[in-house]
Amino acid sequence: MNPPGDGRGMLPRFAQELVEQTLADTPITVLQGARQVGKSTLARQVLASRDAQLLSLDATAVYEAARSDPDGFVRQSSGLLGIDEVQRAPELVRAMKDAVEQDRRPGRFLITGSANLLDLPGTQESLAGRAETVVLYGLSRGELAGRREDFVDRLMAGDHAELAARPATLTRPDYLDILCTGSYPEPMQRTGRRRNAWFDNYLQRIVSRDARDVSRLAHLDRLPTLVRLLAANNAGELVKARLAAGAAIPETSLPGYLDLLETLYLIHQIPAWGNNLTGRVTGRAKVALLDTGLAARLNNVTPAAMSPGAASDVAGDLFEAFVAGEMRRQLAWSAVDASLFHFRDRDGREVDLILEDADRNVAGIEVKASSTVRSEDFRGLTFLRDKLGSRLTSGVVLYTGANALPFGDRLWALPLSALWSSSYA
């Protein structure tokens, strides 16, 4: 895999089609996601063929002009105006709302933000009915390969033959390299200490600048500790009392800090799914970092540290978090409109990830860090199949082995690379 910026040209971003569609029918298009995932680059690509300009609020003069005269700033162009890092001047949202009230043409504004604008004070009402949001995550494995993934659609359709035919050439060490590299474009071009330095500086900038731009929480200096605790329990269930105590944050205040980390697209929460299957379903959400490279750095692990027999035991959590992140990316462009959950009951039955679509069709995904798979690994999936009947389209165990193997009706063990590979490649 060649890293971004190696001379081959720009990698495809599958969210671009959604941005183009939104510009065609909506006055304000919001492109948001974590810092350094490529929002500015994508915005420039979209605007390059249009009568438009892109102004970044990271530039001091532009920032000062926006804060001094928000109304004049948003009305400076009769065409499409792009504004980068708009969360730095939230008053621009109100000014854009007023401008759109006078002229509701689609494609008035393309704005980017490193925070979820709908979570910022005063922006929900201003953007309602006037804006549509496209979330840009880090690079998916399919984007790196130049191939649009359809794993979610195939899984929900029960297309097991196609999924089973996907070639697998990667080994467990290959997957560990992928996990530790992560999804941000910049660290993909670095290795060793230089990559570690990038992750360290990245987190420091998020805490020292971005968090303070969008929040007035009292203990922002404790965010790095909170993120490290979440990384240490990556893709684990949220136990608020333990997390609050470890970060020295009052338990009653903890939801605000978790909301802030979600607003900054550092973490995502995966709610529990029960669907009235049993009264013994647990209701805690899981929490995972969206980037496994950052999580690996915060856990101070390398691929070698996660090899069989090594001291670290975080590999399983990182594999699950990786799959959850890839699912989140694919759901942004999949044809199926589905939501992401997890399942666990008090009898010990669990499924790492659950997809449910609007028609209440369900697919279950279990993730294993090993290169072998056993019938016991299907315990939770078998329970769901027997309870849901035809509603369960697929139950798969993703593992680091090379073979696709049937384990009963609608149950398959698939190589992890089936997430992004294709039988037609």
Side-chain angles (χ1 to χ4, degrees):
M1 186 270 294
N2 295 315
D6 65 348
R8 296 179 306 152
M10 298 304 301
L11 290 169
R13 300 310 305 264
F14 302 140
Q16 181 167 349
E17 180 180 349
L18 301 178
V19 174
E20 301 277 4
Q21 292 172 353
T22 306
L23 284 170
D25 60 20
T26 306
I28 304 172
T29 297
V30 184
L31 177 62
Q32 59 192 31
R35 273 198 179 271
Q36 297 297 314
V37 294
K39 300 183 303 297
S40 301
T41 300
L42 178 54
R44 285 193 293 270
Q45 287 180 289
V46 171
L47 298 178
S49 60
R50 300 169 181 263
D51 177 20
Q53 58 180 323
L54 180 64
L55 301 173
S56 175
L57 295 183
D58 276 341
T60 301
V62 175
Y63 172 77
E64 294 294 337
R67 297 295 301 270
S68 297
D69 183 12
D71 292 311
F73 188 89
V74 302
R75 287 175 167 83
Q76 63 183 285
S77 173
S78 59
L80 173 59
L81 177 63
I83 306 173
D84 200 17
E85 299 298 347
V86 76
Q87 80 282 347
R88 299 205 65 212
E91 54 267 48
L92 290 181
V93 174
R94 178 69 64 178
M96 284 186 284
K97 177 250 187 185
D98 293 340
V100 168
E101 285 297 298
Q102 297 175 18
D103 182 356
R104 293 188 66 90
R105 283 179 296 124
R108 293 288 310 278
F109 300 101
L110 171 60
I111 61 177
T112 80
S114 295
N116 187 341
L117 296 181
L118 293 182
D119 288 339
L120 303 183
T123 59
Q124 288 182 324
E125 180 182 351
S126 296
L127 293 176
R130 305 171 182 90
E132 187 172 330
T133 297
V134 176
V135 178
L136 185 67
Y137 296 102
L139 287 161
S140 73
R141 300 308 302 176
E143 286 174 322
L144 287 164
R147 180 172 53 244
R148 184 166 177 149
E149 303 101 314
D150 61 357
F151 180 81
V152 168
D153 293 327
R154 297 285 188 176
L155 196 68
M156 294 304 295
D159 195 350
H160 308 121
E162 200 282 334
L163 291 174
R166 298 187 171 193
T169 59
L170 300 180
T171 64
R172 189 174 188 274
D174 295 326
Y175 290 123
L176 289 173
D177 282 335
I178 289 171
L179 266 57
C180 290
T181 300
S183 62
Y184 296 113
E186 180 64 26
M188 290 181 180
Q189 303 178 65
R190 303 184 180 203
T191 58
R193 295 183 65 176
R194 296 305 304 145
R195 181 185 293 164
N196 291 342
W198 189 94
F199 283 124
D200 293 343
N201 291 331
Y202 179 81
L203 184 60
Q204 179 58 35
R205 180 172 185 181
I206 295 293
V207 172
S208 63
R209 178 177 174 180
D210 290 17
R212 298 180 190 279
D213 279 344
V214 302
S215 175
R216 296 296 178 265
L217 290 170
H219 304 295
L220 291 178
D221 59 309
R222 297 172 193 174
L223 273 183
T225 299
L226 179 58
V227 176
R228 286 184 171 86
L229 289 169
L230 291 168
N233 188 43
N234 209 15
E237 289 190 5
L238 173 60
V239 182
K240 293 182 181 178
R242 185 189 310 158
L243 195 59
I249 294 172
E251 185 177 348
T252 55
S253 301
L254 183 66
Y257 292 86
L258 295 174
D259 289 345
L260 174 59
L261 293 176
E262 280 198 282
T263 293
L264 296 170
Y265 292 98
L266 284 180
I267 67 171
H268 63 143
Q269 294 196 44
I270 304 167
W273 181 87
N275 201 49
N276 299 319
L277 289 182
T278 170
R280 298 180 61 79
V281 172
T282 63
R284 289 191 183 120
K286 286 185 175 182
V287 183
L289 271 67
L290 277 162
D291 186 80
T292 55
L294 179 60
R297 173 56 182 159
L298 292 172
N299 280 292
N300 196 30
V301 293
T302 63
M306 293 183 286
S307 60
S312 175
D313 59 356
V314 304
D317 292 343
L318 281 178
F319 271 99
E320 183 178 338
F322 170 77
V323 174
E326 290 294 296
M327 290 293 94
R328 191 70 73 189
R329 294 172 180 88
Q330 291 190 31
L331 285 168
W333 60 73
S334 63
V336 172
D337 183 11
S339 298
L340 190 64
F341 304 91
H342 79 95
F343 171 80
R344 186 171 76 85
D345 68 15
R346 291 181 179 87
D347 294 323
R349 292 176 291 236
E350 61 182 313
V351 176
D352 292 331
L353 297 169
I354 298 286
L355 289 169
E356 184 176 37
D357 67 17
D359 295 326
R360 301 186 71 210
N361 296 311
V362 173
I365 305 167
E366 190 72 13
V367 184
K368 298 296 177 185
S370 68
S371 57
T372 60
V373 63
R374 303 172 300 173
S375 58
E376 303 95 276
D377 297 326
F378 287 83
R379 181 185 178 216
L381 293 168
T382 301
F383 173 77
L384 288 185
R385 182 196 61 190
D386 294 346
K387 285 287 186 179
L388 294 172
S390 62
R391 284 181 56 203
L392 185 82
T393 63
S394 308
V396 302
V397 172
L398 296 175
Y399 75 123
T400 61
N403 298 313
L405 301 168
F407 272 79
D409 180 28
R410 288 165 283 160
L411 303 181
W412 282 83
L414 297 175
L416 190 68
S417 61
L419 277 169
W420 65 88
S421 63
S422 170
S423 61
Y424 305 110

